[in-house]
Amino acid sequence: MQWQDVLADKSLQDLPYKIELNERGKIEMSPVSLIHSRLQGKLAKILGTELGGEIFTELAIETRLGVKVPDVAWGTEEYFQQHCEEVCATSAPEICIEILSPSNTMVEMQDKILLYLEAGAVEVWLVEQQGMIRFFNRDGEQKNSLFTTKITKIS
C-alpha cells in the first residue's frame, strides 16, 4: 500500500487512530486519548507562539521504514515551500514530536527518533503524558532544545 492509497480509502477516514505505514506498506494504527490530543494542541500553540514558522499536526513523512507520522512537527517557511505540493513529505521538518502513549515502547520510540533524524529532522522531542519533554538530536539526548530553552514542559 502507498500513502496515496491510504488517503483515498474512505474506510480509513475519520478513524480515532493515527495511521502509519511500515516498511512493507502495511497499516499501523495507534489510538489517541484525550490527554494525548490536548498535549498535541498545546504543543502546536506554544511552538507557533515561540518559534513562528510552520506547525504541522500528523504530518506524513517518508522514511526508510515506511511513512511515519509525528504527532506535531515544526518547520521553517523554507521547509514548507519545498514540500507544499507533496502528498507525503519526502523529508522531515526541523522538529518532529512524538507524544508518548501507554502502548509505546522505548524501542519503538528509539526507532522513530532515528528515522526522523535520518529523514532530515534536526531534533526529535518525546513528550510524556505528564508533559515532560526529552530532546534528541544526532548526538543523542540533550538537556535542552537547540531551537528554544523556554519549552521544557507542557502543562
Side-chain angles (χ1 to χ4, degrees), residues 56 76-86 88-94:
F56 308 95
T76 60
E77 178 64 27
E78 179 183 16
Y79 172 84
F80 175 73
Q81 291 303 322
Q82 290 173 352
H83 298 279
C84 66
E85 305 215 2
E86 298 175 345
C88 179
T90 55
S91 69
E94 289 82 352

Side-chain angles (χ1 to χ4, degrees), residues 13 27 32 40-41 60 64 66 79 94 101 114-115 125 133 144:
Q13 295 174 4
I27 293 174
V32 254
Q40 192 175 13
R64 70 176 166 82
Y79 172 84
E94 289 82 352
S101 298
L114 180 61
L115 290 171
W125 299 4
I133 304 173
N144 294 305

Side-chain angles (χ1 to χ4, degrees), residues 47-48 50-56 59 72-84 89 91-96 120-123 146-147:
L47 284 168
E50 180 70 24
L51 301 179
E54 297 291 335
I55 309 302
F56 308 95
L59 172 66
V72 180
W74 176 86
T76 60
E77 178 64 27
E78 179 183 16
Y79 172 84
F80 175 73
Q81 291 303 322
Q82 290 173 352
H83 298 279
C84 66
S91 69
E94 289 82 352
I95 300 174
C96 292
V122 176
E123 271 184 5
L146 297 171
F147 294 90

Side-chain angles (χ1 to χ4, degrees), residues 2-150:
Q2 298 294 314
W3 195 247
Q4 297 88 315
D5 301 326
V6 171
L7 294 176
D9 189 331
K10 293 198 184 296
S11 69
L12 298 175
Q13 295 174 4
D14 299 322
L15 292 175
Y17 305 102
K18 178 169 78 171
I19 297 174
E20 296 179 329
L21 291 179
N22 67 18
E23 64 274 18
R24 295 176 303 282
K26 297 206 182 264
I27 293 174
E28 295 179 344
M29 295 191 294
S30 303
V32 254
S33 68
L34 180 68
I35 299 284
H36 189 281
S37 181
R38 178 179 176 265
L39 286 169
Q40 192 175 13
K42 284 186 169 253
L43 279 163
K45 182 178 179 182
I46 290 168
L47 284 168
T49 301
E50 180 70 24
L51 301 179
E54 297 291 335
I55 309 302
F56 308 95
T57 56
E58 301 188 9
L59 172 66
I61 301 169
E62 184 66 43
T63 74
R64 70 176 166 82
L65 294 180
V67 175
K68 301 301 174 195
V69 182
D71 295 302
V72 180
W74 176 86
T76 60
E77 178 64 27
E78 179 183 16
Y79 172 84
F80 175 73
Q81 291 303 322
Q82 290 173 352
H83 298 279
C84 66
E85 305 215 2
E86 298 175 345
V87 173
C88 179
T90 55
S91 69
E94 289 82 352
I95 300 174
C96 292
I97 303 171
E98 287 286 345
I99 299 168
L100 299 174
S101 298
S103 62
N104 293 129
T105 66
M106 205 52 216
V107 170
E108 174 189 5
M109 289 300 106
Q110 288 169 337
D111 289 344
K112 282 190 170 186
I113 291 168
L114 180 61
L115 290 171
Y116 293 140
L117 292 172
E118 286 176 354
V122 176
E123 271 184 5
V124 178
W125 299 4
L126 295 185
V127 181
E128 299 172 0
Q129 295 280 308
Q130 301 79 18
M132 296 302 296
I133 304 173
R134 296 173 65 192
F135 306 97
F136 298 85
N137 64 26
R138 293 185 193 285
D139 295 325
E141 188 166 1
Q142 304 299 308
K143 185 176 179 177
N144 294 305
S145 168
L146 297 171
F147 294 90
T148 177
T149 56
K150 292 182 181 177

